[in-house]
Amino acid sequence: GRGDRDGGRGRGRGGRGRGDKGDKEEWVPVTKLGRLVKEGKIRSVEEIFLFSLPIKEYQIVDHLLGPALRDEVMKIMPVQKQTTAGQRTRFKCYVAVGDGAGHIGLGLKAAKEVATAIRGGIINAKMNLVPVRRGYWGLNAGQPHTVPCKVSGKCGSVRCRLIPAPRGSGIVASLIPKKLLTMAGVEDVYSSTTGHSRTRGNLAMAVYYALRRTSSFLSPELWAPTHFTPTPQQEHTDFLAKKAIKN
């Protein structure tokens, strides 16, 4: 029946990235970046972000951030396609992952079954992980607690603007942005949205894009000249070449 057809992909909800990796087969990396991460040559995701390297395997994020990552389903909605035999319904799922310490990812997946959509969404979100730069409102004392400057993100008709807030303000935002900002590790922020913000998927994407833009703003403290260093692939080129020959 159906279970046999889905045989290879099934296995229930598959732990959903919560750390029970006992029954899962060992990760065999297929990209150079994956090999460097597995061998311990790259120890943090910051090294990957520094060189803007694309993450093509979700296990890289699992390996580097591991148990710190939390995932949350933002929205599940049925979507339909009209066929000659009627409609074909699939479930579209928006999932966010974050460690509450400056990393956030948002993934989107459509599948026939809800569990498969959630699992695919989590994998997608991990591969879309981005750093969130945090800053201060006023006095630069203690740990950064808010966004470094006013940033906005847009998806569909929804535009979301994040505004730095003083300590103790909390996250002044509706439910979806509040969840995302908490997962990103932002403690205080004012927000303003325009457009059809009832469309939860687009609202979540708009907040994600706004948080992503915090890293691309060049403020005066970053004006120091950049000293370029070789990329990890170049730095460990001997290791990568040696490994390839052995296989």
Side-chain angles (χ1 to χ4, degrees):
R2 183 110 186 229
D4 306 334
R5 214 168 48 224
D6 295 340
R9 292 170 305 161
R11 295 203 306 280
R13 290 177 92 110
R16 294 183 48 198
R18 296 253 165 80
D20 56 341
K21 296 184 176 61
D23 59 340
K24 290 189 181 174
E25 60 280 352
E26 200 190 342
W27 169 40
V28 180
V30 293
T31 57
K32 286 181 183 177
L33 183 63
R35 282 164 57 190
L36 292 175
V37 168
K38 192 174 180 189
E39 289 297 319
K41 306 280 185 192
I42 293 178
R43 297 183 183 279
S44 75
V45 279
E46 269 60 44
E47 292 178 49
I48 298 174
F49 295 141
L50 180 64
F51 295 99
S52 303
L53 302 174
I55 298 174
K56 299 285 188 189
E57 298 176 88
Y58 72 95
Q59 292 96 333
I60 291 173
V61 175
D62 280 339
H63 200 278
L64 294 172
L65 293 177
L69 271 187
R70 296 202 324 275
D71 55 71
E72 182 138 2
V73 177
M74 289 288 140
K75 183 174 175 64
I76 296 178
M77 58 190 278
V79 288
Q80 289 185 327
K81 174 185 175 180
Q82 187 70 36
T83 61
T84 48
Q87 295 99 2
R88 194 194 67 186
T89 306
R90 295 201 302 170
F91 294 97
K92 186 175 169 185
C93 182
Y94 288 87
V95 184
V97 299
D99 62 351
H103 301 109
I104 188 83
L106 189 63
L108 162 67
K109 177 73 178 165
K112 285 181 193 169
E113 292 173 23
V114 175
T116 318
I118 291 173
R119 204 160 49 239
I122 290 170
I123 288 171
N124 214 323
K126 283 176 181 170
M127 292 198 286
N128 289 336
L129 198 79
V130 291
V132 177
R133 186 168 160 234
R134 292 166 294 170
Y136 300 93
W137 178 94
L139 188 68
N140 294 3
Q143 294 295 317
H145 61 100
T146 183
V147 286
C149 56
K150 294 176 185 173
V151 284
S152 66
K154 186 171 188 294
C155 181
S157 72
V158 184
R159 184 187 296 275
C160 180
R161 188 166 187 238
L162 304 177
I163 301 157
R167 274 191 204 279
S169 306
I171 297 171
V172 185
S174 61
L175 189 66
I176 295 281
K178 190 174 257 188
K179 279 182 184 173
L180 278 164
L181 289 158
T182 307
M183 288 170 95
V186 176
E187 291 163 32
D188 310 287
V189 70
Y190 296 136
S191 73
S192 126
T193 55
T194 55
H196 200 276
S197 55
R198 274 198 331 196
T199 313
R200 281 179 158 202
N202 285 0
L203 178 59
M205 291 302 266
V207 176
Y208 168 72
Y209 288 139
L211 287 169
R212 200 165 74 174
R213 285 176 71 179
T214 55
S215 305
S216 59
F217 187 83
L218 189 68
S219 51
E221 64 266 24
L222 302 175
W223 286 355
T226 310
H227 298 293
F228 293 103
T229 54
T231 63
Q233 285 99 323
Q234 210 164 357
E235 201 178 327
H236 303 291
T237 183
D238 297 338
F239 161 76
L240 290 168
K242 181 184 69 187
K243 196 83 171 179
I245 293 163
K246 199 192 289 183
N247 293 345

